Amino acid sequence: MKSNFLRILFNTNNNSLLLNRKNVLSLNSRQFVREIVQRLLTFKEIFDASLKKNEKSVNVDPLVVFANNELKLAEIDVYGFDYDYTLAIYKEALQVLIYRLGKEKLVDKLKYPRGIKDLPYKPGFAIRGLHYDMQKGILMKLDSFHQIQLTSVYRGLTHLTEEEVIDAYKGSHISQELIRGSSRQGPRMRQLNDLFSVPETCLLSSVNEYFIRNKIPHHPEILSHDVQGAVRRIHPTMHAMLEQANNIGEYLEKHEPLAIFLQGLQNAGKKMFLITNSPFKFVDCGMTYMLGPCWRNYFDIVIVEAKKPLFFANQSWPFRIYDEKANCTLWEEVKSLEKGRVYIEGNLNDLQRMTKWYGKNVLYVGDQIYSDLADLTLHHGWRTGAIIYELSHEINILNQSDYKKAVAWLKSFQSTSQELFSQDSEYIRKTYEDVRAWTKAQFNKQFGSIFRTHDNPTYFSRRLFRYSDIYTSEITNLSKYQLNHTFYPKRFALPHEK
């Protein structure tokens, strides 16, 4: 009796990408078959039931707004927005540009080896939410319990084995002190929280790999600071390039539904404001491209170069008026915030004092869970929404038949392994690991999903769920809902609940 183990369990044909794995397991031994065939049949029954349930489930709409906390839109009178990756949706060409300009800055200004300029951008290498150990030069993915996902650890562009990771960290756990720092020292880990960090991570990994392969002595923390500084210093150049009206379409989506969404809020009598860290000319160019030259008519207040997250934490930094014609800031005291004017810097306390916009009646939406959302949730009681652009792509994968089949198998194994496979057969375990690896690779070959490790939420998603009341892939997805809609979080069974 010869058969592929996964084909027995899945009862699928030879064309499946997942289930035609010749190297997983062959049942060559009749004795082995006699010992486990009954357990396999029992497992198969459980799997079939789980698969049938999954196949009957309705696919998830990738444009849905998901709730972490109950949110009543009927209570929202004021809508606030970030700009980059919230109102503005960028093309991959922007990430390529950031990578290229960062390389040039390293070589031309910091005198890095000229070979750095030849390093190609590797789209799809990194994802947001990863942690970088600045002392060891190691990039990794953590779950919500600070456990390293051992199959997702890289030094440079080279994958580290589980043994190498455990040897480096004396286990698979990263302490809170390394992640967030302490009163004695700052954090050793740097988390990559937004989509702007993806090309920076690729550049840092490529430069680290270049130094290692060419045996150039270096300190990983110095490389980290240099790359971070280089990318920060390219922003004026990048902004200048994107401010050219004939060039903006190469990097920015037109996003035509945005005008309809904003107009709907305005027609309903909602107040709207913009708070962004980007400079006015850059924002003006992008907004004009998306909404037309009168885009400021949508917003009651426009604040640029806000220096978030300090904007939400600094109690005293004053607002300044930006003079568009002179391209400078004025020095007079700002006593009220007026529609039609542009303001620079400022602070949340003054914004609330001058507008009377407080608490649960304000919804602010951004893409950066720390800079945009954390302080508002923890200290000010505003309602918050997160824009996670990658969400729609991940949902499309979740809806695929092969992926559903693999998840059904994993769930069946986890729920029955103790009863049916108490001896934990090496073959069964190998199959389990192979199926888990396949599901991970569907999202990103190196690091998997931004939302989960194999079984647990990621460190990133745990913070997302804590600091945002709702999250979705694009801001205009909100237009699918009536303005009196209530978002309810799903009630999930706790581990001890049936």
Side-chain angles (χ1 to χ4, degrees):
M1 178 180 180
K2 287 188 177 183
S3 181
N4 180 280
F5 180 64
L6 285 177
R7 287 184 60 200
I8 291 177
L9 294 180
F10 288 105
N11 190 24
T12 189
N13 58 48
N14 291 327
N15 295 324
S16 170
L17 292 174
L18 166 64
L19 310 175
N20 189 27
R21 298 287 301 278
K22 296 181 180 179
N23 63 336
V24 174
L25 174 64
S26 295
L27 304 180
N28 294 318
S29 167
R30 291 181 180 273
Q31 182 178 357
F32 178 70
V33 171
R34 293 190 193 100
E35 291 176 355
I36 73 165
V37 68
Q38 188 56 50
R39 286 180 286 174
L40 290 179
L41 290 173
T42 305
F43 179 89
K44 183 66 164 58
E45 291 175 1
I46 296 170
F47 166 73
D48 284 342
S50 177
L51 180 59
K52 187 176 181 180
K53 181 179 179 181
N54 274 17
E55 289 179 336
K56 284 186 176 180
S57 64
V58 178
N59 283 349
V60 178
D61 182 352
L63 303 183
V64 160
V65 176
F66 300 91
N68 300 317
N69 191 20
E70 184 175 317
L71 174 64
K72 298 178 180 178
L73 290 184
E75 295 180 345
I76 304 300
D77 300 319
V78 184
Y79 286 76
F81 307 98
D82 181 33
Y83 174 69
D84 296 303
Y85 284 109
T86 300
L87 297 179
I89 300 175
Y90 293 106
K91 301 176 181 179
E92 188 178 277
L94 181 65
Q95 296 189 357
V96 177
L97 176 64
I98 293 172
Y99 183 86
R100 176 174 66 80
L101 294 176
K103 287 192 304 181
E104 293 173 358
K105 189 69 69 174
L106 286 173
V107 174
D108 297 338
K109 298 297 183 182
L110 300 180
K111 307 305 178 185
Y112 270 57
R114 297 201 63 80
I116 297 293
K117 282 191 175 182
D118 298 326
L119 299 177
Y121 180 61
K122 295 184 178 297
F125 171 72
I127 59 175
R128 88 159 99 184
L130 302 176
H131 282 80
Y132 185 79
D133 185 338
M134 292 185 288
Q135 286 190 11
K136 294 182 180 293
I138 294 177
L139 184 65
M140 68 186 72
K141 181 179 172 183
L142 298 180
D143 72 9
S144 57
F145 297 96
H146 299 185
Q147 297 287 337
I148 303 170
Q149 182 168 335
L150 293 173
T151 57
S152 299
V153 184
Y154 284 76
R155 179 181 281 116
L157 302 174
T158 302
H159 179 257
L160 299 185
T161 65
E162 292 188 14
E163 292 76 15
E164 289 174 318
V165 176
I166 291 172
D167 180 63
Y169 294 99
K170 310 307 176 190
S172 60
H173 180 265
I174 300 297
S175 71
Q176 176 86 345
E177 187 174 3
L178 292 185
I179 296 173
R180 304 187 69 175
S182 67
S183 58
R184 300 186 303 274
Q185 61 181 12
R188 199 174 97 184
M189 296 281 181
R190 187 158 65 89
Q191 190 181 9
L192 312 163
N193 287 307
D194 56 30
L195 286 175
F196 281 126
S197 67
V198 171
E200 179 184 329
T201 304
C202 291
L203 178 58
L204 177 56
S205 297
S206 295
V207 171
N208 198 9
E209 182 77 9
Y210 180 91
F211 273 64
I212 293 171
R213 289 189 177 276
N214 289 279
K215 297 181 172 57
I216 301 174
H218 67 284
H219 193 301
E221 188 166 2
I222 292 175
L223 291 191
S224 176
H225 290 314
D226 282 354
V227 170
Q228 187 178 17
V231 171
R232 188 185 301 116
R233 286 190 287 270
I234 69 168
H235 280 243
T237 303
M238 180 182 72
H239 290 156
M241 294 179 66
L242 269 66
E243 285 165 12
Q244 302 173 26
N246 60 349
N247 198 41
I248 188 71
E250 295 180 24
Y251 304 101
L252 182 64
E253 298 284 358
K254 187 71 172 175
H255 202 190
E256 293 180 358
L258 181 60
I260 300 172
F261 168 66
L262 296 176
Q263 188 65 60
L265 293 178
Q266 192 172 63
N267 291 344
K270 305 298 182 181
K271 299 292 185 180
M272 287 182 282
F273 65 94
L274 177 70
I275 304 179
T276 175
N277 287 346
S278 293
F280 175 74
K281 282 190 174 182
F282 176 73
V283 174
D284 183 50
C285 181
M287 286 292 211
T288 300
Y289 177 72
M290 294 187 293
L291 300 172
C294 299
W295 64 268
R296 275 189 285 166
N297 291 341
Y298 289 113
F299 299 95
D300 295 271
I301 297 174
V302 173
I303 302 167
V304 298
E305 297 183 45
K307 298 184 178 179
K308 295 179 294 181
L310 291 177
F311 181 93
F312 299 125
N314 191 316
Q315 303 292 315
S316 60
W317 200 278
F319 282 102
R320 302 187 69 178
I321 298 172
Y322 174 72
D323 186 324
E324 301 168 53
K325 294 181 179 179
N327 189 26
C328 69
T329 54
L330 305 183
W331 51 86
E332 62 194 66
E333 180 182 358
V334 175
K335 297 182 179 180
S336 63
L337 299 174
E338 302 172 10
K339 185 170 183 174
R341 302 197 99 167
V342 177
Y343 299 92
I344 283 181
E345 299 171 347
N347 66 85
L348 183 62
N349 275 6
D350 283 348
L351 173 65
Q352 293 185 124
R353 177 178 55 81
M354 288 188 272
T355 61
K356 310 304 180 187
W357 295 342
Y358 291 101
K360 67 177 184 178
N361 302 119
V362 184
L363 172 64
Y364 185 75
V365 185
D367 72 300
Q368 229 282 10
I369 57 176
Y370 293 111
S371 294
D372 288 327
L373 309 180
D375 282 320
L376 293 176
T377 297
L378 295 175
H379 305 299
H380 301 286
W382 283 17
R383 311 312 300 272
T384 54
I387 301 301
I388 309 298
Y389 181 70
E390 307 95 320
L391 179 62
S392 59
H393 169 69
E394 295 217 0
I395 289 175
N396 286 330
I397 293 171
L398 298 177
N399 288 336
Q400 292 175 3
S401 176
D402 270 356
Y403 186 85
K404 289 183 177 181
K405 196 173 290 187
V407 170
W409 191 92
L410 292 172
K411 288 180 177 179
S412 301
F413 176 84
Q414 290 169 340
S415 64
T416 61
S417 60
Q418 294 301 314
E419 294 81 3
L420 300 181
F421 305 111
S422 57
Q423 296 180 351
D424 200 17
S425 162
E426 177 184 348
Y427 301 103
I428 306 289
R429 174 59 58 181
K430 178 64 166 61
T431 303
Y432 176 69
E433 296 297 338
D434 281 353
V435 177
R436 289 213 308 179
W438 184 88
T439 58
K440 167 197 162 186
Q442 301 316 294
F443 300 98
N444 176 276
K445 183 179 179 181
Q446 291 75 229
F447 299 101
S449 166
I450 71 170
F451 296 101
R452 66 161 55 246
T453 55
H454 292 307
D455 301 313
N456 297 327
T458 58
Y459 187 98
F460 171 83
S461 62
R462 183 68 173 268
R463 271 63 191 172
L464 169 68
F465 303 151
R466 174 65 183 89
Y467 299 138
S468 64
D469 294 300
I470 56 174
Y471 67 100
T472 190
S473 59
E474 294 183 12
I475 187 65
T476 50
N477 294 345
L478 277 168
S479 62
K480 295 163 60 73
Y481 302 87
Q482 298 293 323
L483 291 177
N484 61 355
H485 181 83
T486 299
F487 294 102
Y488 294 101
K490 288 185 178 180
R491 179 182 171 89
F492 293 102
L494 299 174
H496 66 274
E497 295 176 331
K498 285 290 186 180

